[in-house]
Amino acid sequence: MKILSIQSSVAYGHVGNSAAVFPLQRLGHEVWPVFTVHFSNHTGYGAWRGPLLAPADVADVITGIAERGVLDQCDAVLSGYQGGAGIAEVILSAVAQVKAANPAATYTCDPVMGNAKSGCFVDPAIPPIIREQVVPKADIITPNQFELGFLTDTAPTDLTSTLASADLARAMGPSTVLVTSVFDGDPDEADTIGMLVVTGEGAWLVETPLLPIKANGSGDITAAMFTAHLHETGSPAEALARTVSSVYAVLKATLESGERELRLIAAQDAIANPACEFEVRQVR
């Protein structure tokens, strides 16, 4: 498949397109990366250099792709960290152009805004735009549990409330909601973390051991791989199983390396051939 991926880029490390492109290519897919920023490193370091790209420049790149007459070949649009408030309009325009050329194409929005530990870490103007303008146009969204709460004005803290929040998110427009970093609030399961997919046909959960690591970019890989696997299999449960297997392998390799950045190369075999060793439970 061919994927138009509109995300951030970093020279050092792996977030945004710098996290998503290699795994997608390792799965055998063609990626057209369009950058919203080009930083030296991700902002989690506290200091970085490089430009926040102007919306007009991002739109220019997309226009150039369209002028090649290839948008009808695009199977999916993927967006992540937007950088500035004006990027949303550019992304939505790109989605409209792709879907006009190929009505079967899908749009996956990773609504990057923050997490439970750090809170919101993007420009305050961006979250309302994502919630009110971008999410309603998406087919698939991949929020973490914290972002899901913001999108739906809820506070999901366990599986039941997360399912309810995911239903509210689906009512906003997306047909598929993948929720990452799901904690169920059970003290006996504090050493596990879940990933949940909710569609109109059901809901499925995979839980893995909670690794003691903070890994910037893991959500970017997750959104990219789930999009690809869902297109390939047509099964939310199978796409979830494959995605969790590969992402866990990347995180484990990163932890064992003692490095701060994701070990994509070290885990590339698990990315290309996910073992699917974790149980997929249908929870609804």
Side-chain angles (χ1 to χ4, degrees):
M1 62 185 291
K2 296 180 175 66
I3 302 165
L4 175 63
S5 183
I6 309 170
Q7 302 196 58
S8 61
S9 171
V10 294
Y12 175 76
H14 302 289
V15 298
N17 270 328
S18 303
V21 172
F22 174 74
L24 288 170
Q25 291 173 331
R26 197 64 182 81
L27 288 171
H29 304 301
E30 183 173 333
V31 189
W32 304 336
V34 176
F35 302 157
T36 56
V37 308
H38 188 53
F39 290 162
S40 55
N41 50 270
H42 68 69
T43 59
Y45 284 94
W48 64 94
R49 293 179 181 271
L52 182 73
L53 299 179
D57 292 333
V58 179
D60 242 8
V61 174
I62 296 168
T63 297
I65 297 171
E67 289 172 347
R68 304 288 72 76
V70 295
L71 291 188
D72 62 330
Q73 301 173 29
C74 183
D75 300 292
V77 179
L78 173 64
S79 73
Y81 180 72
Q82 296 191 16
I87 297 296
E89 184 177 347
V90 176
I91 291 171
L92 293 178
S93 174
V95 170
Q97 291 178 66
V98 168
K99 290 196 170 193
N102 178 14
T106 62
Y107 169 40
T108 299
C109 169
D110 182 8
V112 179
M113 294 180 286
N115 56 57
K117 291 185 178 179
S118 305
C120 189
F121 51 64
V122 299
D123 182 332
I126 291 177
I129 292 172
I130 291 177
R131 178 171 59 190
E132 296 161 18
Q133 299 178 33
V134 181
V135 166
K137 297 294 184 181
D139 300 289
I140 303 164
I141 60 171
T142 62
N144 58 40
Q145 198 173 33
F146 170 86
E147 291 162 338
L148 176 67
F150 176 85
L151 292 174
T152 57
D153 197 22
T154 60
T157 56
D158 56 18
L159 180 58
T160 300
S161 59
T162 302
L163 283 167
S165 296
D167 288 338
L168 292 173
R170 288 187 63 251
M172 296 167 65
S175 58
T176 301
V177 176
L178 177 72
V179 190
T180 63
S181 300
V182 175
F183 294 94
D184 67 5
D186 184 346
D188 294 332
E189 307 231 348
D191 58 348
T192 64
I193 189 170
M195 194 179 297
L196 172 74
V197 61
V198 182
T199 74
E201 288 69 50
W204 297 266
L205 175 73
V206 174
E207 292 178 302
T208 67
L210 176 61
L211 298 174
I213 183 174
K214 182 180 184 295
N216 294 80
S218 56
D220 305 318
I221 299 175
T222 299
M225 298 196 71
F226 181 77
T227 299
H229 287 312
L230 186 60
H231 267 263
E232 183 179 356
T233 67
S235 165
E238 179 66 17
L240 176 66
R242 293 186 183 188
T243 300
V244 170
S245 179
S246 294
V247 172
Y248 184 81
V250 170
L251 294 177
K252 186 177 180 183
T254 304
L255 178 63
E256 291 173 349
S257 74
E259 298 289 336
R260 183 168 180 173
E261 296 292 341
L262 296 174
R263 300 291 95 186
L264 298 184
I265 303 298
Q268 63 178 305
D269 290 342
I271 290 172
N273 301 289
C276 304
E277 69 269 32
F278 299 106
E279 178 189 5
V280 180
R281 287 196 292 127
Q282 184 162 8
V283 292
R284 192 171 65 198

